[in-house]
Amino acid sequence: GPGATIGGMCATRCSGSLAVRYGTMRDNVINLQAVLPDGDVVKTGSRARKSAAGYDLTRLIIGSEGTLGVITEVTLRLQKLPSHSVVAMCNFQTVKDAADVAIATMHSGIQVSRVELLDEVQIRAINMANGKSLPEVPTLMFEFIGTEAYALEQTLLVQKIAAEHHGSDFVFVEEPNAKEELWKIRKEALWAGFAMKPDHEAMITDVCVPLSRLAECISVSKQLLDASPLTCLVIAHAGDGNFHTIILFDPTQEEERREAERLNHFMVHTALSMEGTCTGEHGVGTGKMKYLEKELGMESLRTMKRIKAALDPNNIMNPGKLIPPHVCI
């Protein structure tokens, strides 16, 4: 997104809409260089495509959120640009139907590069912000890549899957300007939400569950979100079980802030009860640190604390982040 840097993306182990095909940042870094708390400079690997040499220090640093060192160089895996792509869009009666199509598509083995879900509130925000007249119903967006014939074949297969799950208004485009215009709907989602409530702040949260539990998790969460007095917009990287909620609240009203925190808390515990995670891509930082013990267990947290103590005994690298303060070794 705007303002993202490669080093920051490595530090938070982030990902985005293309992760369903290309993986997260963790999967696209070959090696990196970092300055450790004692001033030593470490390079974590070679440029070989694979290696079994020693501990995987690259993955240790990725996602450490600045608690183990400062990333100074990154060697990235390059991906070939596809020769052709198709962007498709389809409407659904319920968010569960949309999520079920995303699940069925992934389980079918169809090679999609993006599967994005937007709920009816998000579509309403896009209409208000951009003067569009899209049907205000749960919507799926897809991107298919490959040769022209292959991308079109995959598109038609997904169209059939969508029809079996009450999908309607399935459209697809191949012309560059038309594709860009469709993707603007997704790319401008956050700003559309702010335009809906310009005097509000947003609590942006996400969770991730096994793909087979995505429809259930979104449906359960949506029941609470829709019942809340706050405006809540749902966007999902539906191809890998990751969904976000933008919770808009008035920062001058403490009860609205508490309500936003309550909704976030419910989403996290719902995801954890389904063997999911409190965050799919935004990092833990401080806001979700309190959920790590429930998700990972105390032994895992103690192991993290031992690593932190060994590399940063003076606790000078982002103290207070990532590892809950009550963890002892």
Side-chain angles (χ1 to χ4, degrees), residues 7-328:
M9 291 162 71
C10 289
T12 55
R13 197 164 63 218
C14 75
S15 57
S17 63
L18 287 167
V20 66
R21 182 175 181 90
Y22 298 107
T24 68
M25 202 67 192
R26 177 184 62 188
D27 305 303
N28 288 281
V29 175
I30 296 172
N31 66 65
L32 54 79
Q33 179 177 286
V35 180
L36 301 181
D38 62 1
D40 284 350
V41 178
V42 59
K43 185 173 181 180
T44 61
S46 68
R47 289 187 57 194
R49 289 181 64 88
K50 63 180 181 178
S51 173
Y55 294 138
D56 192 345
L57 297 180
T58 305
R59 273 68 189 175
L60 176 64
I61 299 296
I62 292 175
S64 61
E65 301 196 39
T67 60
L68 301 180
V70 177
I71 297 169
T72 55
E73 290 183 11
V74 180
T75 303
L76 296 173
R77 187 184 311 280
L78 298 181
Q79 303 286 356
K80 186 179 184 300
L81 291 174
S83 61
H84 188 77
S85 68
V86 177
V87 175
M89 191 172 178
C90 187
N91 300 327
F92 295 88
Q93 298 174 16
T94 68
V95 72
K96 182 181 184 302
D97 287 336
D100 281 338
V101 168
I103 295 168
T105 298
M106 298 307 300
H107 286 171
S108 72
I110 293 172
Q111 295 294 305
V112 294
S113 60
R114 303 189 222 205
V115 188
E116 297 290 294
L117 186 155
L118 297 83
D119 78 343
E120 70 281 1
V121 186
Q122 179 64 72
I123 298 295
R124 188 180 311 133
I126 290 166
N127 283 341
M128 292 174 62
N130 300 310
K132 293 185 179 294
S133 55
L134 299 168
E136 293 179 358
V137 294
T139 301
L140 273 184
M141 301 186 69
F142 300 89
E143 184 177 62
F144 308 93
I145 62 174
T147 64
E148 184 173 352
Y150 180 80
L152 183 58
E153 178 188 20
Q154 304 302 292
T155 303
L156 297 178
L157 288 172
V158 170
Q159 183 178 20
K160 181 179 179 182
I161 293 173
E164 293 169 352
H165 291 80
H166 316 293
S168 62
D169 304 316
F170 190 99
V171 297
F172 61 91
V173 295
E174 301 177 79
E175 197 271 329
N177 289 338
K179 289 187 292 188
E180 184 178 351
E181 189 64 27
L182 272 187
W183 273 124
K184 279 177 65 177
I185 294 171
R186 172 61 182 89
K187 290 180 178 179
E188 296 175 355
L190 174 60
W191 317 120
F194 282 126
M196 198 179 199
K197 297 276 188 175
D199 57 340
H200 282 43
E201 290 184 3
M203 179 178 290
I204 304 172
T205 184
D206 83 307
V207 295
C208 190
V209 294
L211 186 58
S212 61
R213 306 296 298 273
L214 177 64
E216 180 185 1
C217 190
I218 291 182
S219 297
V220 170
S221 298
K222 273 282 287 177
Q223 289 178 16
L224 189 74
L225 296 171
D226 290 345
S228 172
L230 302 184
T231 299
C232 306
L233 307 85
V234 171
I235 314 171
H237 302 312
D240 48 16
N242 180 206
F243 78 95
H244 306 251
T245 298
I246 302 170
I247 305 170
L248 300 171
F249 66 94
D250 185 342
T252 66
Q253 302 296 318
E254 183 59 30
E255 66 272 18
E256 291 201 5
R257 184 183 297 274
R258 287 197 298 267
E259 171 66 3
E261 291 172 350
R262 182 182 77 90
L263 296 175
N264 173 53
H265 186 76
F266 177 85
M267 281 180 57
V268 168
H269 280 276
T270 299
L272 293 181
S273 72
M274 298 179 181
E275 299 183 88
T277 175
C278 65
T279 173
E281 61 183 25
H282 280 287
V284 172
T286 56
K288 289 190 174 178
M289 188 166 52
K290 58 191 174 189
Y291 301 119
L292 287 186
E293 183 175 351
K294 181 174 177 62
E295 179 173 336
L296 301 175
M298 184 55 71
E299 287 307 315
S300 291
L301 295 182
R302 288 197 185 105
T303 301
M304 291 183 191
K305 187 72 174 276
R306 292 186 189 105
I307 293 171
K308 168 71 170 170
L311 294 180
D312 185 16
N314 296 320
N315 198 26
I316 63 173
M317 290 289 187
N318 265 355
K321 286 197 74 176
L322 196 62
I323 303 173
H326 68 275
V327 178
C328 301

